[in-house]
Amino acid sequence: MAKKELRIGLIGCGFMGRTHSNGYNRIRNFFPELGYLPVLKTVCSRSEKKVKAFAEQWGYESIETDWKKVIARDDIDAIDICTPNDMHAEIAIAAAAAGKMVLCEKPLARSLEEAQQMVDAIEKSGVKNMVWYNYRRLPAVTLAKNIIDSGKLGRIFHYRANFLQDWTINADIQQGGTDWRMDAAVAGSGVTGDLLAHCIDTAMWLNGAINDVSAVTETFVKQRVHQLTGKMQQVGIDDACIFHCHFDNGSLGLFESTRYARGHKAMYTFEINGEKGSIRWDLQDLNRLEFFDHADDSKVRGWRTIHVTDGDQPYMNKWWVPGLSIGYEHSFVHQIADFLKSIETGESFSPSFKDALETQKVCEAVIDSANSKSWKDTYVDWTES
């Protein structure tokens, strides 16, 4: 079948640029039925030396050092934004105005105001868009969605999730520059936008809208040297956050995230308890989904472990034989494959900018709640695009 090209202009060549590039490169091998094929036309970074090495490693045809030149090029169909958060809005708005498809790393923006401007630009232009909330497309997480939608859990009572890391337990880590996630002016927030945003997106995809929140945050190291100025400055990001909430379906939610959980590098888990059953999942054992079915005979009733590797389970018919696992990187392959399919069919794609705006509403409500020490409504309108 003749392929149509989707010519990619990647902006930013850090860690997320690598994950996206790997996803594009695997489509040809594992999703040959798709009518569109990603073509790595150009990659952009301010460092010419860095971007040249990246382009050579991942197979990009050319390089740029000015993102505006990427958007101006006639041979680019889609702009993939892998920059620090403070650049998301400007690039996305310019790309949409130029009629380019826009793919953006999460969180969508630093603030709800920026995120709304981005959604407005997308809706005005009508261009295809997506946000890289990739955990939805791990097969076990997609299977959890299928189980919930089937009604096997019945009425949902509880949703709880956490995302724990430990990489900032060091007062010598600086803020700004290469450590931009530690700088509120660049990142917007700390663990709330970086880690809890993933938990929130997954939660609303699985369990519906979050209506209101009550949160606490903590910044354990109050001052850090700023990498760009060399001066000691106040730290504006949250090192840890805990919030509880009400979902629109009447269930209760409990969320925790921190970068101060010694021994945890990327512990992301969720558990959902319903009237008829429960499910739980752990990123560190990502090919397994645990399921409790109260309908089982009482003599054998208990938690079962589903090893998500069979060909009739989500996405797995694209990979190996049953019993052989896949990894974190495959979630990006699945996401770009689904996006390409939506271009081909004309169907809507989720998570879109509009979906990510709703997650941004929850993040903003969480920060507002922690600052004001009060419950905050989210005003989420959860209708997936």
Side-chain angles (χ1 to χ4, degrees):
M1 180 174 67
K3 301 284 187 180
K4 295 180 180 178
E5 292 186 346
L6 184 71
R7 299 168 296 181
I8 305 295
L10 180 73
I11 302 176
C13 57
F15 170 61
M16 298 319 301
R18 292 169 58 205
T19 64
H20 296 192
S21 299
N22 178 71
Y24 295 129
N25 282 335
R26 299 283 71 78
I27 291 297
R28 180 190 304 272
N29 305 115
F30 292 98
F31 290 82
E33 77 282 2
L34 292 174
Y36 279 83
L37 182 69
V39 176
L40 304 186
K41 276 291 178 182
T42 194
V43 57
C44 177
S45 176
R46 285 173 290 198
S47 168
E48 184 174 358
K49 180 180 179 181
K50 180 180 179 181
V51 76
K52 279 183 176 179
F54 188 93
E56 182 177 351
Q57 179 180 359
W58 292 101
Y60 284 84
E61 295 178 10
S62 64
I63 66 165
E64 298 284 0
T65 56
D66 181 349
W67 62 263
K68 294 179 181 178
K69 291 183 178 179
V70 179
I71 292 175
R73 285 175 53 161
D74 293 333
D75 63 344
I76 300 297
D77 301 308
I79 301 296
D80 189 354
I81 304 171
C82 294
T83 65
N85 301 346
D86 62 333
M87 298 177 68
H88 287 189
E90 184 180 9
I91 296 173
I93 291 169
K100 311 291 188 184
M101 300 181 195
V102 191
L103 296 72
C104 187
E105 251 307 319
K106 47 62 59 185
L108 185 59
R110 292 176 297 177
S111 67
L112 185 57
E113 181 181 7
E114 277 188 348
Q116 185 65 65
Q117 291 171 358
M118 295 166 74
V119 171
D120 290 345
I122 288 290
E123 291 182 345
K124 181 179 179 180
S125 67
V127 296
K128 197 83 175 175
N129 60 97
M130 79 169 188
V131 179
W132 291 89
Y133 280 113
N134 58 293
Y135 291 111
R136 294 187 185 195
R137 286 175 164 84
L138 287 170
V141 178
T142 305
L143 180 60
K145 170 72 168 171
N146 294 344
I147 291 172
I148 295 166
D149 290 350
S150 76
K152 288 183 179 179
L153 301 190
R155 177 186 173 189
I156 305 301
F157 298 124
H158 293 283
Y159 189 107
R160 63 186 66 85
N162 57 25
F163 207 139
L164 312 180
Q165 298 181 340
D166 71 353
W167 66 274
T168 62
I169 308 179
N170 183 344
D172 293 333
I173 293 175
Q174 298 180 350
Q175 56 179 315
T178 57
D179 289 322
W180 61 266
R181 286 181 176 82
M182 305 296 293
D183 186 348
V186 179
S189 66
V191 297
T192 298
D194 188 29
L195 303 179
L196 279 176
H198 270 304
C199 300
I200 292 163
D201 173 78
T202 306
M204 292 203 293
W205 184 57
L206 294 175
N207 197 42
I210 293 173
N211 288 343
D212 57 10
V213 300
S214 177
V216 293
T217 60
E218 184 57 66
T219 303
F220 295 110
V221 177
K222 310 296 185 185
Q223 292 186 323
R224 293 183 184 271
V225 172
H226 199 285
Q227 194 176 111
L228 300 183
T229 66
K231 297 180 180 179
M232 187 71 74
Q233 294 181 202
Q234 202 74 15
V235 176
I237 57 102
D238 45 306
D239 290 325
C241 178
I242 302 170
F243 77 88
H244 54 162
C245 65
H246 295 97
F247 285 86
D248 191 55
N249 64 6
S251 61
L252 299 180
L254 180 61
F255 295 76
E256 178 188 11
S257 187
T258 182
R259 293 175 180 151
Y260 277 71
R262 182 62 82 195
H264 292 296
K265 304 304 178 185
M267 180 185 177
Y268 173 25
T269 69
F270 64 75
E271 180 172 328
I272 306 170
N273 307 127
E275 180 182 10
K276 300 177 182 178
S278 296
I279 53 176
R280 60 190 179 199
W281 175 79
D282 183 345
L283 174 62
Q284 295 179 347
D285 194 8
L286 59 82
N287 292 288
R288 297 184 185 274
L289 182 68
E290 294 186 88
F291 177 45
F292 179 91
D293 190 346
H294 189 66
D296 288 343
D297 186 280
S298 61
K299 296 184 182 68
V300 295
R301 187 184 298 144
W303 285 93
R304 71 182 73 164
T305 298
I306 305 169
H307 193 205
V308 187
T309 63
D310 279 324
D312 59 351
Q313 292 167 326
Y315 300 106
M316 292 309 302
N317 64 340
K318 298 297 181 184
W319 300 102
W320 319 120
V321 297
L324 299 183
S325 299
I326 63 172
Y328 163 81
E329 70 275 15
H330 294 79
S331 62
F332 296 92
V333 183
H334 299 157
Q335 180 144 347
I336 190 60
D338 287 346
F339 184 72
L340 294 171
K341 185 65 174 179
S342 74
I343 299 172
E344 188 176 341
T345 64
E347 296 174 346
S348 59
F349 180 87
S350 182
S352 65
F353 274 41
K354 176 62 172 61
D355 300 324
L357 174 67
E358 303 310 308
T359 294
Q360 196 84 39
K361 289 178 182 178
V362 179
C363 290
E364 190 126 325
V366 165
I367 297 297
D368 288 348
S369 171
N371 289 340
S372 65
K373 299 182 179 180
S374 63
W375 280 90
K376 291 292 181 180
D377 292 329
T378 65
Y379 304 104
V380 163
D381 177 17
W382 189 255
T383 304
E384 282 191 305
S385 58

